[in-house]
Amino acid sequence: VGALQVYNGTQWLTLTSTVAAQSSFTATGGTTLNPGNGFRYHVYTSTNPFVVSSGSITAEILVVGGGGGGGTGGGGAGGIIYSAEVPLAPGTYVATVGSAGAASGAQPASGGDGGNSSFANPGGPWTMTGYGGGGGAARSAVGRPGGSGGGDGADGNSGNFGNSSGTQPTHPVLPFTVANYGHDGGGT
């Protein structure tokens, strides 16, 4: 298909854009990409504002939390929240990019949790949050919970210590439909 897709348990969703390109809509923020497919993308790798100067649209927004750092077990992926129904009108929105969790560096420490990422309308008020991934476990321990849970730590003797939970939750009532994605951490 040539586009990123996510299965929501019922159907495949194509994640093709964050902002539709329309001549009456003007916005700045992040790195702007215009690939010629009728869409304009605003990609964020650090926390910065998203400013709509003119026009109103319904946009697609994808937010991914920072990944968890590894311990003996691998760090969990950041949770994802996505919507194709986000109303954007003139104003300043806040795009926050969660940092990656720190690797443990030495045993028996667990890896650090990833930071939360979000896209917020302070005047709304509403916030879409992708929760940070859980840190990977220390030796013989359970991974930390997160958007996707961190992996369990191995000890060479025993089996599964119990999977850490993926905690990318259903959001409080938002004025548009969202899909949330996260997964429990793996056992040893």
Side-chain angles (χ1 to χ4, degrees):
V1 172
L4 177 63
Q5 293 187 322
V6 175
Y7 189 71
N8 71 2
T10 306
Q11 64 182 350
W12 285 97
L13 300 173
T14 301
L15 309 179
T16 57
S17 70
T18 54
V19 178
Q22 296 180 3
S23 60
S24 64
F25 181 79
T26 305
T28 58
T31 300
T32 304
L33 305 172
N34 293 295
N37 63 355
F39 294 93
R40 180 180 313 133
Y41 302 82
H42 292 261
V43 179
Y44 285 82
T45 56
S46 62
T47 299
N48 280 294
F50 177 76
V51 179
V52 177
S53 305
S54 64
S56 295
I57 63 166
T58 299
E60 293 183 44
I61 305 289
L62 174 71
V63 179
V64 181
T72 300
I80 296 172
I81 183 170
Y82 165 79
S83 180
E85 304 174 2
V86 181
L88 297 178
T92 300
Y93 301 79
V94 180
T96 302
V97 176
S99 62
S104 67
Q107 293 304 317
S110 292
D113 296 338
N116 295 344
S117 297
S118 62
F119 187 79
N121 177 3
W126 52 258
T127 301
M128 296 173 64
T129 303
Y131 290 85
R139 182 175 287 280
S140 302
V142 175
R144 296 185 44 79
S148 287
D152 290 350
D155 72 355
N157 294 324
S158 50
N160 190 347
F161 299 107
N163 296 341
S164 59
S165 64
T167 55
Q168 177 62 31
T170 301
H171 274 57
V173 177
L174 290 171
F176 43 85
T177 303
V178 298
N180 292 284
Y181 304 95
H183 200 277
D184 292 343
T188 57

